[in-house]
C-alpha cells in the first residue's frame, strides 16, 4: 500500500480531487457530530467525466460515514472501512447496473432496504452507480425516499452530468452536488508508480495516453489487449478516410466487438442458466419437478432478456472506447492544423496526427469529430452498431474527398 493511501485513509483512492475530498471529509465529521457546521445531508450526486472516480468518491464517503475510528473518518484500517471498500459491509449497498437500465422493480427493492435502520453500521448507505440509467419509473421510486428520507439513511448517486438526459431534474434538485474533474497526467502517474509499482517512464506514458482515466491508464500500462484495442481505434482514423478501406474497417470493428462480448459472457450465461434451473428444481427426481420446470419459461425468458441487455451494454461500452480514441485523434490533427500548443490526446501519434492534418482542412477535421459524436448519439438511440459506424465513416470520407487545398478550397 502506498504511503499516500495510508496517510489519507480511504480517500487515498481518490486521484486529483482535492476539493471533493475536503467536502466529503467535512460532511463525514458533521455526520459524526464532530463539526458544528451543516455539511452533511441525506442525498448526494457525484458527477464527472469517465475515469474521474465518481463511484470511488461515493464509496470512500460511505466508508467515512461508517468508520469507527476515533480519528479522522475514513481511516481505512477499521473493520467498517475495510468491509465497505471491499463491498461486504452489511449496511452499504451498491447498485451497479450491467444492462442498459436500472428497472423500477430493482429500485423498489432498494427503497425497501433504505427504509430500514442500519444493523451494524452508523448509517444505511445506498450507492447507485450509473444513476443515469435509471428508468423514469425507477427514478420516481427513488425520489420518494429522497424526498422523505428515513432516519440514518444516505443515498449516493453517480452520473456523468447534471443534464436532464442523465439525471431527473427533480431528483437532482434534492441532492447535494459534487463535480469531479479530470485528473492530471502527473497525478495519475503517481498513482501507477506508488500503488501499482510501475516504473516512472511507463507510468507517465500510460497516463499521458489515457485521456484522464485512471483505470484505463492502468490497463494500457499492463494489458496487451488494451493496447491492441487502442491501436485498432487509431487505425480507424486513417481507414475511414479512404473509401476503399472505410466500410470494411467498420465491419471488422463490429465483428471484433461482437466476438469480444461473446467471449466475455459465454461462461457467465451458461452458469446463470444452470443456477436458475437448479433453483427451480432442475435435476431433481420428485413428482413435482417436471411441472416446476415446465412453468419456468417466464423466468428463463426474463433471464435471457437481462443477458441480452448486458450484451448490448458491453458492446456499446467497447465501441465507445474506440470512438473516444478516434475523436481524440482528429482533435490532435485539428490542433496541428491550427498551430495550437494544447496537450495532445495521443502524444505518441504526433506524426500521424500531422499527416491527417495535411490531408484535409480544419473544417474537414471538425466534420470528422462531429461524425464521431453523431455516431455515439445514434448508438445511444438504439441504432445498430453497423449502421451507426457506416454513417460515421461516410461522413469522415467526405471530409477527405479531393480536391483539397490549404486555403480550404
Amino acid at each position: 500500500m502506498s504511503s499516500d493511501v495510508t496517510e489519507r485513509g480511504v480517500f487515498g483512492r481518490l486521484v486529483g480531487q482535492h476539493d471533493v475530498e475536503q467536502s466529503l471529509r467535512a460532511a463525514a465529521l458533521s455526520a459524526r457530530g464532530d463539526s458544528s457546521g451543516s455539511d452533511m445531508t441525506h442525498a448526494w450526486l457525484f458527477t464527472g467525466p469517465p475515469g474521474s472516480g465518481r463511484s470511488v468518491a461515493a464509496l470512500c464517503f460511505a466508508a467515512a460515514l461508517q468508520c469507527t475510528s476515533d480519528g479522522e473518518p475514513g481511516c481505512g484500517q477499521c473493520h467498517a472501512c475495510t468491509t465497505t471498500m471491499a463491498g461486504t459491509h452489511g449496511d452499504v449497498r451498491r447498485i451497479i447496473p450491467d444492462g442498459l437500465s436500472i428497472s423500477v422493480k430493482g429500485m423498489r427493492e432498494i427503497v425497501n432496504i433504505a427504509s430500514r435502520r442500519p444493523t451494524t453500521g452508523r448509517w444505511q448507505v445506498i450507492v447507485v452507480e450509473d444513476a443515469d440509467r435509471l428508468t423514469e419509473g425507477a427514478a420516481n421510486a427513488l425520489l420518494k425516499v429522497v424526498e422523505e428520507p428515513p432516519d440514518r439513511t444516505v443515498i449516493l448517486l453517480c452520473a456523468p452530468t447534471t443534464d436532464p438526459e442523465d439525471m431527473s431534474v427533480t431528483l437532482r434538485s434534492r441532492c447535494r452536488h459534487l463535480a469531479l474533474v479530470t485528473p492530471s497526467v502527473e497525478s495519475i502517474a503517481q498513482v501507477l508508480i506508488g500503488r501499482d509499482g510501475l516504473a516512472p517512464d511507463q507510468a507517465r506514458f500510460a497516463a499521458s495516453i489515457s485521456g484522464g482515466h485512471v483505470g484505463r491508464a492502468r490497463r494500457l500500462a499492463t494489458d496487451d489487449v488494451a493496447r491492441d484495442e487502442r491501436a485498432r481505434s487509431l487505425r480507424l482514423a486513417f481507414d475511414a478516410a479512404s473509401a476503399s478501406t472505410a466500410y470494411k474497417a467498420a465491419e471488422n470493428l463490429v465483428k471484433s466487438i461482437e466476438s469480444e462480448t461473446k467471449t466475455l459472457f459465454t461462461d457467465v450465461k451458461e452458469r446463470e442458466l444452470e443456477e436458475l434451473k437448479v433453483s427451480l428444481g432442475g435435476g431433481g427426481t420428485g413428482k413435482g419437478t417436471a411441472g416446476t420446470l415446465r412453468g419456468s419459461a417466464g423466468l428463463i425468458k426474463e433471464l435471457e432478456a437481462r443477458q441480452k441487455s448486458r450484451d448490448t451494454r458491453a458492446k456499446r461500452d467497447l465501441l465507445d472506447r474506440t470512438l473516444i480514441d478516434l475523436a481524440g485523434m482528429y482533435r490532435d490533427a485539428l490542433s496541428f492544423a491550427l498551430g495550437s500548443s494544447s496537450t495532445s490526446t495521443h502524444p505518441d501519434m504526433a506524426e500521424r496526427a500531422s499527416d491527417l492534418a495535411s490531408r484535409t482542412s480544419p473544417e474537414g477535421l471538425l466534420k470528422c469529430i462531429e461524425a464521431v459524436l453523431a455516431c455515439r448519439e445514434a448508438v445511444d438511440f438504439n441504432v445498430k452498431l453497423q449502421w451507426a459506424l457506416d454513417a460515421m465513416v461516410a461522413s469522415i470520407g467526405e471530409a477527405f474527398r479531393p480536391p483539397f487545398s490549404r486555403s480550404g478550397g
Side-chain angles (χ1 to χ4, degrees), residues 99-122:
L100 294 174
S101 62
I102 301 174
S103 69
V104 63
K105 177 183 177 182
M107 186 48 60
R108 282 173 179 161
E109 293 173 357
I110 295 301
V111 167
N112 288 335
I113 293 171
S115 65
R116 306 171 189 166
R117 290 191 62 82
T119 55
T120 60
R122 298 173 182 268

Side-chain angles (χ1 to χ4, degrees), residues 83-107:
T83 53
T84 297
M85 299 308 291
T88 58
H89 194 292
D91 289 319
V92 178
R93 287 168 177 80
R94 297 173 67 186
I95 295 86
I96 309 174
D98 57 8
L100 294 174
S101 62
I102 301 174
S103 69
V104 63
K105 177 183 177 182
M107 186 48 60

Side-chain angles (χ1 to χ4, degrees), residues 232 251-263 311 314-320 322 385 389:
R232 178 191 64 194
E251 181 183 346
N252 289 340
L253 175 59
V254 172
K255 288 180 179 178
S256 176
I257 288 172
E258 290 176 343
S259 175
E260 189 171 343
T261 302
K262 183 177 181 180
T263 301
D311 285 354
K315 290 175 185 177
R316 290 184 182 181
D317 289 344
L318 288 170
L319 175 60
D320 204 51
T322 293
L385 301 192
L389 281 170

Side-chain angles (χ1 to χ4, degrees), residues 49-60:
S52 58
R54 301 184 300 253
S55 59
V56 174
L59 196 60
C60 290

